[in-house]
Amino acid sequence: AGIFMLIVSIAFGITASSYEASFGDPLGPAALPVMLSIPAALLSLCLVLRPDPDPVWATSTPLIRQLATLVLLIAYALLLDPFGFLLPTFVTVTVLGRILLSGWLKSALSGVLMTLVLFVTFDTLLGLPLRALPAGLG
């Protein structure tokens, strides 16, 4: 797993370094993916150099939660374009809170807060344009 993740991290960083954008992002679109690929590669290298001698694999409920999280994050990525940023982000954070065993109210409040903070951070503070609503509405 460590070797696989190391290869994926390096490939991700190399691929991301060639990203270009047509808007005025001062760092460029490659900055965040490259910054993420570096710690991912280092942590993968830790798995290779210091593997757990007696790993315990997730079974039953924890495994189902992990798979649900993976499906949720893939769905989130696929729903951003047709539905805009706000609704998919709210739903994803709320459902992720439930997967992590938080109550509905706390999960929904976290969803609202995270959605607003992320939208303001990326769209307003960093100047990275996000479409807030579905194409026909906004």
Side-chain angles (χ1 to χ4, degrees):
I3 291 172
F4 174 75
M5 287 306 300
L6 180 63
I7 292 168
V8 168
S9 300
I10 292 170
F12 182 71
I14 291 170
T15 303
S17 65
S18 65
Y19 290 165
E20 293 182 15
S22 58
F23 53 89
D25 178 12
L27 294 176
L32 182 62
V34 169
M35 287 189 300
L36 291 175
S37 69
I38 293 169
L42 291 174
L43 292 170
S44 301
L45 197 55
C46 288
L47 286 175
V48 172
L49 299 176
R50 296 191 62 189
D52 186 348
D54 189 25
V56 177
W57 294 93
T59 58
S60 72
T61 304
L63 181 61
I64 292 169
R65 285 195 192 126
Q66 289 175 11
L67 292 174
T69 300
L70 182 62
V71 169
L72 177 65
L73 293 175
I74 291 170
Y76 175 65
L78 295 173
L79 294 174
L80 276 173
D81 192 40
F83 290 100
F85 181 81
L86 299 177
L87 182 62
T89 303
F90 168 73
V91 170
T92 299
V93 173
T94 301
V95 173
L96 189 56
R98 289 296 298 147
I99 289 172
L100 296 172
L101 303 178
S102 178
W104 278 110
L105 181 60
K106 286 182 181 179
S107 296
L109 290 174
S110 295
V112 169
L113 183 63
M114 286 297 295
T115 299
L116 295 175
V117 167
L118 289 172
F119 186 79
V120 168
T121 299
F122 283 101
D123 194 67
T124 306
L125 298 177
L126 296 176
L128 302 172
L130 293 175
R131 190 166 37 93
L133 301 171
L137 297 176

